[in-house]
């Protein structure tokens, strides 16, 4: 009901019975407007990121909007090399959204936060009229602490570097699309939504000259690599045969005319490393539960001076084509 | 269009042309997924808060949803005594929302951020289908740095303390309601939306034993004081005659049957201070541009052991009544 967003006793009850029941820590229970958090360690910088989640449906094989909301921001913070520490959670609820669904989402967020080792320390709830939302939208923002000397970013990629991906592509996007359209390509296809901060830490320990991490969410691998190429002003060439894709996902993409390299992932990490640390990075990924299908998929090269930085795909048949960024929208509201 | 939330080139264009044009700093322009921010000073703790904004209409006398989104989170962070430093901005846009309106909102956010002295360092944009939103929803989350030794919070209120408010009540709520319903009670009534971090800093400097700040947004003064009373397990008594209310606001409330003490404010601060610092705190408020109508409005007392903590209103006629928290919803989607 609209009254649950009022600031009054109805809102207090939802806070107590739903949010506190799921994930209350000291900061939330204090009931002040801002969470006060300990000082970072000496010299530690902060990493800060935000993401809103509007995925439909709210529940799908392998996860739900709550798990996605925690993973998405944890992963964004972690791409900087930081240790994610604290999350905020902002709900925009549509009048009539079932409290039971909200409880289930909050429980999922709490579980995922525990796995990632982050704490949900501050929150907000708004309720909008029926017809002005779609059940629930969630924003999470995250703070991480970043040790001295770690300087990751797309601009660090250099010719000669190696590109890795932490597992199979397209699982999340195709799962959501299958749910939404009532298709079933396979019984065991599920979203890959996962917190990857521990995997990133493992890679950084094994390959200290890692250039950058980026999670290929909306726009998929193709958009991510185009962003990196533009940031670093380099070319990137991907070997199509080396990109891990599940058969069910490939089949669905073929049938529906999607390019799997433009389909969203929520539990995969693209990583660019110095060539001499590539095998170490790969081994570190594969040793992590979320990286068992990790692969080396490509290389960074010099951009040609007569044209801008480009991403190429060397196809299974030996040809090479330009791999473009997604232009419009292939699968809306995937996260 | 949905494509503007795709992660692809359409999204890149909106980011470049709208968001970067309005408020790009170094962190945003880097184009990585997380903003990396300098280390806080030695011993400084962090304050972290989040707020989503769903106000309708998006533009109103005295402000717009963008100004509200910056002020709201700046004020929440500042209530801890922290200096607000960085904001994240998450947009949920409804398909069809005019780009010109978005540009106007972003310009307003940039201007308000400049006034508050905070930087918009990281962002996200999602687009939902027509009919699943209401033009634009905005989440902002904010990080502040909090000096050693400042420990503010509702639980710090003590019997004998004095309650202040930084200006007239009800301006924001009645302005929004007037806009929405096409009523005009007066030509010069406007929202009070304002960043109050400098006012808070002024009060803290003048009254170092300040117990807490709280901005009486949704649920108004009544809900705020009930929250404080419950946190500190104290009674609070407010003198109705001393509460500053504009004539136009009082008239509107009388006519429509609203209790002005339950109407939302977006540029006012409630402050509880030690009695011997009350005059200093009041003078500091009045010297600030947003505190010219500040007033001492009440006192903190001992809660009676035979009942829970209560808030009382001593009326203009000499009677006393219990001032309850708002129960349901008086004015939905006020912020």
């Amino acid at each position: 009901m609209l009254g649950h967003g009022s600031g009054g006793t109805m809102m207090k009850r939802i806070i107590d019975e739903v949010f506190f029941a799921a994930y209350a820590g000291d900061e939330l229970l204090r009931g002040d407007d801002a969470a006060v958090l300990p000082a970072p360690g000496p010299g530690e910088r902060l990493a800060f990121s935000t993401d809103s989640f509007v995925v439909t449906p709210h529940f799908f094989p392998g996860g739900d909007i709550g798990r996605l909301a925690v993973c998405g921001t944890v992963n964004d913070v972690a791409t900087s090399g930081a240790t994610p520490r604290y999350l905020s959670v902002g709900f925009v609820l549509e009048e009539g959204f079932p409290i039971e669904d909200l409880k289930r989402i909050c429980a999922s967020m709490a579980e995922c936060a525990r796995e990632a080792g982050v704490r949900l320390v501050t929150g907000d709830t708004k309720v909008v009229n029926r017809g002005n939302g779609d059940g629930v939208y969630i924003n999470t923002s995250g703070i991480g602490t970043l040790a001295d000397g770690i300087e990751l970013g797309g601009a660090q990629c250099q010719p000669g570097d190696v590109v890795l991906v932490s597992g199979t592509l397209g699982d999340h996007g195709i799962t959501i699309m299958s749910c939404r359209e009532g298709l079933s390509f396979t019984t065991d296809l599920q979203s890959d939504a996962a917190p990857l901060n521990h995997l990133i830490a493992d890679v950084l320990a094994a390959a200290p000259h890692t250039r950058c991490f980026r999670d290929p969410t909306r726009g998929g691998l193709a958009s991510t690599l185009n962003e990196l190429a533009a940031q670093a002003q380099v070319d990137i060439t991907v070997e199509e045969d080396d990109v891990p894709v599940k058969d069910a996902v490939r089949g669905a993409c073929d049938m529906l005319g999607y390019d799997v390299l433009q389909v969203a992932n929520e539990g995969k990490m693209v990583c660019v490393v110095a060539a001499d640390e590539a095998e170490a990075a790969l081994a570190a990924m594969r040793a992590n539960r979320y990286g068992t299908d990790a692969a080396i998929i490509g290389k960074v090269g010099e951009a040609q001076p007569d044209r801008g930085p480009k991403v190429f795909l060397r196809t299974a048949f030996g040809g090479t084509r330009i791999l473009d960024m997604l232009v419009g929208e292939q699968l809306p509201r995937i996260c």
Side-chain angles (χ1 to χ4, degrees), chain A:
Chain A
M1 289 171 57
L2 284 172
H4 286 112
S6 64
T9 51
M10 282 177 69
M11 190 163 101
K12 186 169 168 358
R13 213 162 57 225
I14 201 179
I15 290 173
D16 290 352
E17 291 177 10
V18 180
F19 305 131
F20 285 1
Y23 47 65
D26 292 347
E27 292 85 3
L28 269 180
L29 289 173
R30 275 183 59 151
D32 290 321
D33 279 345
V36 173
L37 307 168
E44 278 189 337
R45 292 156 298 163
L46 302 175
F48 187 28
S49 193
T50 191
D51 223 337
S52 299
F53 297 84
V54 300
V55 67
T56 172
H58 302 125
F59 301 95
F60 44 81
D64 54 65
I65 189 172
R67 181 169 174 86
L68 222 53
V70 171
C71 292
T73 293
V74 161
N75 292 348
D76 280 348
V77 168
T79 57
S80 68
T83 304
R85 304 270 183 201
Y86 308 108
L87 292 190
S88 66
V89 185
F91 287 99
V92 175
L93 302 173
E94 185 188 11
E95 202 182 0
F97 186 67
I99 290 274
E100 286 313 311
D101 284 1
L102 185 60
K103 285 184 179 170
R104 200 173 144 199
I105 288 167
C106 289
S108 172
M109 295 183 81
E111 186 195 329
C112 189
R114 262 192 304 274
E115 182 188 344
V118 297
R119 290 171 50 220
L120 307 172
V121 294
T122 187
D124 176 63
T125 307
K126 294 291 188 302
V127 181
V128 296
N129 316 63
R130 211 179 283 264
N132 282 332
D134 193 10
V136 57
Y137 298 143
I138 306 178
N139 175 283
T140 52
S141 301
I143 300 178
T145 50
L146 181 57
D148 261 350
I150 300 182
E151 296 291 348
L152 304 177
Q156 313 281 336
C157 300
Q158 297 165 26
D161 287 350
V162 169
V163 181
L164 293 89
V165 67
S166 64
T168 56
L169 294 184
D171 302 21
H172 177 74
I174 295 300
T175 301
I176 295 297
M177 203 275 304
S178 303
C179 276
R180 214 183 284 166
E181 308 298 339
L183 304 170
S184 68
F185 297 104
T186 170
T187 48
D188 61 359
L189 189 60
Q190 59 175 37
S191 167
D192 54 2
L196 299 178
N197 50 320
H198 301 309
L199 179 141
I200 285 177
D202 294 347
V203 172
L204 272 180
H209 295 93
T210 296
R211 314 301 189 197
C212 72
F213 297 96
R214 184 78 46 97
D215 54 338
T217 55
R218 287 178 288 173
L221 181 73
S223 294
T224 293
L225 294 183
N226 274 284
E227 283 172 23
L228 299 181
Q231 281 183 275
Q233 294 289 301
V234 294
D235 280 359
I236 297 177
T237 302
V238 173
E239 302 293 333
E240 187 173 33
D241 266 356
D242 296 340
V243 176
V245 179
K246 287 198 173 83
D247 287 342
V249 170
R250 195 182 302 280
C253 285
D254 285 351
M255 207 169 83
L256 298 162
Y258 292 139
D259 182 346
V260 69
L261 302 182
Q262 293 187 335
V263 174
N265 311 277
E266 290 292 336
K268 296 293 147 49
M269 201 49 74
V270 171
C271 172
V272 180
V273 300
D276 60 356
E277 294 180 350
E279 287 300 331
L282 181 65
M285 278 187 181
R286 287 190 173 163
N288 184 287
R289 62 182 285 203
Y290 293 123
T292 48
D293 296 322
I296 290 172
I297 60 165
K299 279 206 165 149
V300 178
E302 304 253 3
Q304 298 305 310
D306 55 333
R307 51 154 178 77
K310 295 272 176 221
V311 179
F312 297 100
L313 184 73
R314 193 132 48 193
T315 67
F317 307 107
T320 297
R321 68 171 174 93
I322 287 178
L323 187 60
D324 267 329
M325 207 169 198
L326 182 62
V327 176
E329 181 62 273
Q330 190 169 238
L331 289 165
R333 297 186 51 191
I334 211 73
C335 62

